[in-house]
Amino acid sequence: ELITQNKVLHAVLESAIIDDTLKAEDMLSCDRNYVLIQLRIEGFGSEYEPGPMGCANCRNVFSPKVDLSQLKTKELKHRPDEDFLYFIELPMSKVKIRFRLLNGKDEIALQNKGMSAIKKASGFKAKKMWSERYLLQIMEVNGEKDKLFIKSFIDAMPLGDSQFFRKFAAEVEPGIDLNYNFVCSHCGHEEEKFVPITPRLFYPDADL
């Protein structure tokens, strides 16, 4: 039931944390991913099969294996301000924004919206998903904190600004680097992709 509701990873974290003052939903996403990877290595070993992937070169589908022990951690290079927010000026629009890192509550909220859209058969396009993510992350736009104003900016954000913000947000986030060099078993093409964090980490036979 937890797998079908997409809540199994959150449940694993909750059961693994022994500090009563720390709640899994309050942990930053980067910390959650780091702990999940370490739990996976300790419990099942470092070899992980994330599931089928498509090759950008030959277009064939292959099933790679990932050595989780090869993933590196990212150092904290950018520190937030006193409100735990980060500042950035977007290159296209020259808009100044302050944003925060996502936590477990945010992940659950995004997952619920995605699952709700699937059940309604309404679809949940990637652009919509990023807009929902930005709305949770961005706390200020040119000093304006009103969420309706922020949403209107996000809806009209130039693609160049969106890509720049996404890259910068990934750069400032510490934790584990999920970039991995995948090799296609059909043509040998090498491509760097993110290692997906899914219930397969702990339930390899899960039907996802």
Side-chain angles (χ1 to χ4, degrees):
E1 183 179 352
L2 287 171
I3 292 175
T4 57
Q5 294 178 0
N6 212 19
K7 295 179 180 179
V8 66
L9 296 182
H10 184 73
V12 168
L13 278 173
E14 283 190 322
S15 62
I17 295 172
I18 60 175
D19 186 346
D20 293 337
T21 65
L22 178 62
K23 295 184 180 297
E25 63 183 19
D26 294 330
M27 293 173 63
L28 293 177
S29 297
C30 52
D31 289 335
R32 289 164 61 90
N33 287 339
Y34 181 83
V35 173
L36 286 169
I37 292 294
Q38 297 306 315
L39 287 172
R40 173 57 167 76
I41 292 175
E42 292 294 327
F44 289 93
S46 60
E47 188 178 276
Y48 169 49
E49 297 184 36
M53 288 190 176
C55 176
N57 183 55
C58 68
R59 305 299 179 184
N60 283 311
V61 175
F62 64 103
S63 297
K65 293 182 180 179
V66 176
D67 183 355
L68 295 174
S69 66
Q70 297 300 310
L71 297 178
K72 299 178 181 179
T73 54
K74 299 188 295 181
E75 296 181 4
L76 181 62
K77 297 180 179 179
H78 302 269
R79 293 192 175 275
D81 61 22
E82 64 277 3
D83 298 319
F84 300 103
L85 299 177
Y86 295 87
F87 170 84
I88 185 177
E89 181 176 318
L90 301 175
M92 303 280 293
S93 62
K94 303 302 179 183
V95 167
K96 298 176 176 64
I97 65 173
R98 295 173 75 207
F99 69 96
R100 65 181 178 87
L101 301 180
L102 298 184
N103 58 30
K105 289 179 182 177
D106 302 320
E107 287 185 18
I108 293 171
L110 289 171
Q111 288 170 0
N112 288 341
K113 288 185 178 181
M115 293 297 291
S116 176
I118 291 172
K119 290 178 180 178
K120 294 177 180 177
S122 60
F124 206 58
K125 296 181 180 180
K127 182 179 178 181
K128 175 66 174 175
M129 191 67 174
W130 280 110
S131 294
E132 293 289 346
R133 184 183 181 91
Y134 291 168
L135 192 58
L136 290 171
Q137 277 187 292
I138 298 174
M139 297 289 104
E140 240 179 68
V141 173
N142 281 342
E144 178 60 64
K145 299 179 181 180
D146 180 72
K147 276 297 182 180
L148 288 177
F149 179 85
I150 294 174
K151 184 180 185 305
S152 65
F153 166 74
I154 292 172
D155 291 340
M157 185 188 296
L159 180 59
D161 280 350
S162 177
Q163 292 176 339
F164 183 85
F165 171 59
R166 198 180 309 175
K167 182 178 180 181
F168 184 79
E171 181 183 322
V172 303
E173 186 178 57
I176 195 159
D177 187 352
L178 295 174
N179 285 296
Y180 192 83
N181 193 39
F182 290 94
V183 181
C184 175
S185 58
H186 296 283
C187 68
H189 174 71
E190 297 185 13
E191 184 177 1
E192 189 175 75
K193 296 183 178 181
F194 280 110
V195 176
I197 303 297
T198 73
R200 289 186 192 274
L201 269 176
F202 301 97
Y203 298 90
D205 300 322
D207 185 16
L208 303 177

mmCIF file of all heavy atoms in Angstrom, residues 8-24:
data_model
loop_
_atom_site.group_PDB
_atom_site.id
_atom_site.type_symbol
_atom_site.label_atom_id
_atom_site.label_comp_id
_atom_site.label_asym_id
_atom_site.label_seq_id
_atom_site.Cartn_x
_atom_site.Cartn_y
_atom_site.Cartn_z
ATOM 1 N N VAL A 8 6.578 4.979 0.476
ATOM 2 C CA VAL A 8 7.426 3.978 1.114
ATOM 3 C C VAL A 8 8.769 4.553 1.549
ATOM 4 O O VAL A 8 9.279 4.205 2.617
ATOM 5 C CB VAL A 8 7.627 2.759 0.180
ATOM 6 C CG1 VAL A 8 8.418 3.124 -1.066
ATOM 7 C CG2 VAL A 8 8.285 1.621 0.931
ATOM 8 N N LEU A 9 9.379 5.443 0.758
ATOM 9 C CA LEU A 9 10.675 6.002 1.134
ATOM 10 C C LEU A 9 10.559 6.873 2.378
ATOM 11 O O LEU A 9 11.439 6.866 3.236
ATOM 12 C CB LEU A 9 11.265 6.802 -0.027
ATOM 13 C CG LEU A 9 11.602 5.995 -1.287
ATOM 14 C CD1 LEU A 9 12.218 6.894 -2.342
ATOM 15 C CD2 LEU A 9 12.548 4.847 -0.958
ATOM 16 N N HIS A 10 9.466 7.617 2.473
ATOM 17 C CA HIS A 10 9.228 8.427 3.672
ATOM 18 C C HIS A 10 9.059 7.527 4.894
ATOM 19 O O HIS A 10 9.584 7.824 5.973
ATOM 20 C CB HIS A 10 7.983 9.289 3.473
ATOM 21 C CG HIS A 10 7.713 10.229 4.606
ATOM 22 N ND1 HIS A 10 8.465 11.365 4.837
ATOM 23 C CD2 HIS A 10 6.783 10.183 5.605
ATOM 24 C CE1 HIS A 10 8.012 11.979 5.920
ATOM 25 N NE2 HIS A 10 6.992 11.292 6.385
ATOM 26 N N ALA A 11 8.354 6.402 4.717
ATOM 27 C CA ALA A 11 8.148 5.459 5.817
ATOM 28 C C ALA A 11 9.468 4.828 6.251
ATOM 29 O O ALA A 11 9.701 4.614 7.451
ATOM 30 C CB ALA A 11 7.156 4.376 5.399
ATOM 31 N N VAL A 12 10.346 4.524 5.291
ATOM 32 C CA VAL A 12 11.660 3.960 5.615
ATOM 33 C C VAL A 12 12.458 4.946 6.468
ATOM 34 O O VAL A 12 13.056 4.570 7.483
ATOM 35 C CB VAL A 12 12.443 3.617 4.327
ATOM 36 C CG1 VAL A 12 13.903 3.324 4.639
ATOM 37 C CG2 VAL A 12 11.819 2.420 3.631
ATOM 38 N N LEU A 13 12.445 6.216 6.086
ATOM 39 C CA LEU A 13 13.164 7.232 6.850
ATOM 40 C C LEU A 13 12.602 7.368 8.261
ATOM 41 O O LEU A 13 13.342 7.436 9.237
ATOM 42 C CB LEU A 13 13.088 8.580 6.132
ATOM 43 C CG LEU A 13 14.080 8.832 5.001
ATOM 44 C CD1 LEU A 13 13.751 10.139 4.300
ATOM 45 C CD2 LEU A 13 15.503 8.853 5.514
ATOM 46 N N GLU A 14 11.286 7.412 8.349
ATOM 47 C CA GLU A 14 10.656 7.567 9.665
ATOM 48 C C GLU A 14 11.027 6.423 10.600
ATOM 49 O O GLU A 14 11.260 6.628 11.786
ATOM 50 C CB GLU A 14 9.135 7.640 9.509
ATOM 51 C CG GLU A 14 8.624 8.983 9.007
ATOM 52 C CD GLU A 14 7.116 9.078 9.094
ATOM 53 O OE1 GLU A 14 6.454 8.052 8.825
ATOM 54 O OE2 GLU A 14 6.597 10.163 9.418
ATOM 55 N N SER A 15 11.076 5.210 10.058
ATOM 56 C CA SER A 15 11.386 4.059 10.902
ATOM 57 C C SER A 15 12.872 3.972 11.245
ATOM 58 O O SER A 15 13.251 3.350 12.242
ATOM 59 C CB SER A 15 10.952 2.763 10.204
ATOM 60 O OG SER A 15 11.659 2.585 8.992
ATOM 61 N N ALA A 16 13.730 4.599 10.433
ATOM 62 C CA ALA A 16 15.177 4.511 10.657
ATOM 63 C C ALA A 16 15.690 5.574 11.622
ATOM 64 O O ALA A 16 16.703 5.366 12.297
ATOM 65 C CB ALA A 16 15.915 4.640 9.322
ATOM 66 N N ILE A 17 15.003 6.707 11.713
ATOM 67 C CA ILE A 17 15.468 7.809 12.568
ATOM 68 C C ILE A 17 15.158 7.499 14.030
ATOM 69 O O ILE A 17 14.017 7.221 14.392
ATOM 70 C CB ILE A 17 14.793 9.133 12.156
ATOM 71 C CG1 ILE A 17 15.230 9.521 10.743
ATOM 72 C CG2 ILE A 17 15.153 10.252 13.133
ATOM 73 C CD1 ILE A 17 14.470 10.700 10.181
ATOM 74 N N ILE A 18 16.184 7.544 14.860
ATOM 75 C CA ILE A 18 15.990 7.223 16.279
ATOM 76 C C ILE A 18 15.964 8.477 17.158
ATOM 77 O O ILE A 18 15.668 8.396 18.347
ATOM 78 C CB ILE A 18 17.082 6.255 16.791
ATOM 79 C CG1 ILE A 18 18.473 6.888 16.617
ATOM 80 C CG2 ILE A 18 17.008 4.929 16.039
ATOM 81 C CD1 ILE A 18 19.589 6.032 17.227
ATOM 82 N N ASP A 19 16.272 9.628 16.581
ATOM 83 C CA ASP A 19 16.233 10.886 17.317
ATOM 84 C C ASP A 19 14.799 11.421 17.301
ATOM 85 O O ASP A 19 14.272 11.801 16.261
ATOM 86 C CB ASP A 19 17.179 11.889 16.657
ATOM 87 C CG ASP A 19 17.309 13.190 17.451
ATOM 88 O OD1 ASP A 19 16.467 13.430 18.359
ATOM 89 O OD2 ASP A 19 18.236 13.963 17.168
ATOM 90 N N ASP A 20 14.168 11.458 18.467
ATOM 91 C CA ASP A 20 12.770 11.886 18.559
ATOM 92 C C ASP A 20 12.568 13.351 18.189
ATOM 93 O O ASP A 20 11.440 13.770 17.900
ATOM 94 C CB ASP A 20 12.240 11.653 19.982
ATOM 95 C CG ASP A 20 12.131 10.177 20.324
ATOM 96 O OD1 ASP A 20 12.028 9.366 19.381
ATOM 97 O OD2 ASP A 20 12.177 9.827 21.519
ATOM 98 N N THR A 21 13.629 14.137 18.218
ATOM 99 C CA THR A 21 13.494 15.560 17.906
ATOM 100 C C THR A 21 13.570 15.826 16.407
ATOM 101 O O THR A 21 13.353 16.962 15.968
ATOM 102 C CB THR A 21 14.599 16.379 18.605
ATOM 103 O OG1 THR A 21 15.887 16.004 18.084
ATOM 104 C CG2 THR A 21 14.577 16.133 20.112
ATOM 105 N N LEU A 22 13.880 14.805 15.623
ATOM 106 C CA LEU A 22 14.030 14.968 14.176
ATOM 107 C C LEU A 22 12.924 14.218 13.445
ATOM 108 O O LEU A 22 12.752 13.016 13.619
ATOM 109 C CB LEU A 22 15.397 14.442 13.712
ATOM 110 C CG LEU A 22 15.693 14.508 12.215
ATOM 111 C CD1 LEU A 22 15.696 15.955 11.732
ATOM 112 C CD2 LEU A 22 17.025 13.843 11.896
ATOM 113 N N LYS A 23 12.173 14.937 12.638
ATOM 114 C CA LYS A 23 11.107 14.329 11.848
ATOM 115 C C LYS A 23 11.552 14.222 10.391
ATOM 116 O O LYS A 23 12.144 15.153 9.837
ATOM 117 C CB LYS A 23 9.822 15.152 11.945
ATOM 118 C CG LYS A 23 9.212 15.202 13.341
ATOM 119 C CD LYS A 23 7.909 15.956 13.332
ATOM 120 C CE LYS A 23 7.288 16.001 14.727
ATOM 121 N NZ LYS A 23 6.944 14.646 15.195
ATOM 122 N N ALA A 24 11.235 13.085 9.773
ATOM 123 C CA ALA A 24 11.647 12.839 8.390
ATOM 124 C C ALA A 24 11.102 13.909 7.444
ATOM 125 O O ALA A 24 11.776 14.314 6.501
ATOM 126 C CB ALA A 24 11.188 11.454 7.946
#
